[in-house]
Amino acid sequence: MTRLLLATRNAKKLAELQRILDGSLGRERVELIGLADVPEYQELPETGLTFGENALIKAREGCRQTGLPTVADDSGLAVDALGGMPGVFSARWSGRHGDDQANLDLVLAQIGDVPDEHRGAAFVCAVALVLPGGKEHLVEGRQPGRLLRAGRGDGGFGYDPIFLGEGQDRTNAELTGAEKDAISHRGKALRLLAKLLTKVLPAGA
Ligand code: IMP
């Protein structure tokens, strides 16, 4: 059994990755633990300019502090009309970290004059895996779509109510959790990670 650290305190992310790993690796191969399960350490600020850099910063530090193979993710919304922003600043775009409504309202206001045909956007999720021997891997998932002019739906979080995925007639906030996982940036990145883990984790370790 290999212990794998997911460098997060978010119980929902742990459960989501565990579900995906169980589906593709089999529970007996990987025991997934979170930051709450290892001795506390000072987490580094997310100073990268890309999702991949931030995911690597967090995964490297987790591996250095615990000696465990470590996975970390970073994600956000890239809006075409804003040159890819909010990007790595998605969680704090309004200046207040984690204020989902203020962040969403600011993006809507900023692109208020942008016509429908130029309202393309994508959710992006980078997932890094750092192994104790120093090997590093990075995978990325994207959900392309466009932004509406007002929110719809109560599910999901963050920018989900204003995001209509490509080929969808419901916003991400109108999808069930399972429907969103099947097409989301995070679902795609985590499934790529699961595939990678089957190759790089020692069998039966
Ligand atoms: P984090 O990677 O969990 O820190 O997410 C960064 C920010 O990106 C969140 O606070 C949200 O604003 C935005 N974000 C990331 N993934 C999603 C999603 O699936 N739906 C809506 N917003 C998201």
Side-chain angles (χ1 to χ4, degrees):
M1 169 83 82
T2 302
R3 288 210 306 162
L4 180 69
L5 172 67
L6 178 59
T8 184
R9 297 191 179 278
N10 183 331
K12 279 190 187 169
K13 279 191 185 172
L14 262 181
E16 185 182 4
L17 180 55
Q18 186 75 66
R19 264 199 319 274
I20 292 173
L21 292 185
D22 289 348
S24 34
L25 288 179
R27 184 177 277 278
E28 74 286 353
R29 276 206 64 194
V30 174
E31 181 195 357
L32 192 63
I33 59 174
L35 286 178
D37 306 310
V38 298
E40 193 160 343
Y41 63 85
Q42 179 83 47
E43 291 167 55
L44 298 177
E46 298 182 14
T47 50
L49 291 182
T50 65
F51 299 114
E53 283 171 29
N54 279 340
L56 277 169
I57 287 171
K58 288 185 274 188
R60 279 184 196 130
E61 188 60 6
C63 185
R64 195 179 73 82
Q65 293 277 355
T66 66
L68 294 170
T70 301
V71 169
D73 79 321
D74 194 40
S75 62
L77 180 70
V79 178
D80 295 348
L82 298 177
M85 292 287 110
V88 292
F89 305 107
S90 291
R92 51 192 147 127
W93 192 236
S94 66
R96 287 189 298 280
H97 193 105
D99 189 336
D100 283 357
Q101 190 63 47
N103 291 336
L104 177 159
D105 287 341
L106 180 56
V107 167
L108 278 186
Q110 286 167 325
I111 63 166
D113 293 335
V114 175
D116 288 350
E117 64 272 26
H118 291 141
R119 295 176 72 89
F123 279 123
V124 183
C125 177
V127 176
L129 168 67
V130 174
L131 300 173
K135 283 226 168 76
E136 298 184 344
H137 304 268
L138 198 57
V139 294
E140 192 173 281
R142 294 173 72 82
Q143 185 190 12
R146 65 188 176 85
L147 298 184
L148 302 179
R149 292 181 184 276
R152 276 180 7 210
D154 310 311
F157 68 102
Y159 301 91
D160 278 338
I162 56 169
F163 185 86
L164 194 63
E166 213 171 80
Q168 303 292 310
D169 55 11
R170 287 174 293 159
T171 68
N172 273 17
E174 294 173 311
L175 301 176
T176 65
E179 285 171 333
K180 183 180 160 188
D181 289 353
I183 56 173
S184 78
H185 52 315
R186 193 170 300 101
K188 287 177 186 165
L190 291 180
R191 285 189 290 276
L192 286 175
L193 171 75
K195 221 185 254 177
L196 181 68
L197 287 171
T198 60
K199 294 193 195 125
V200 302
L201 283 186

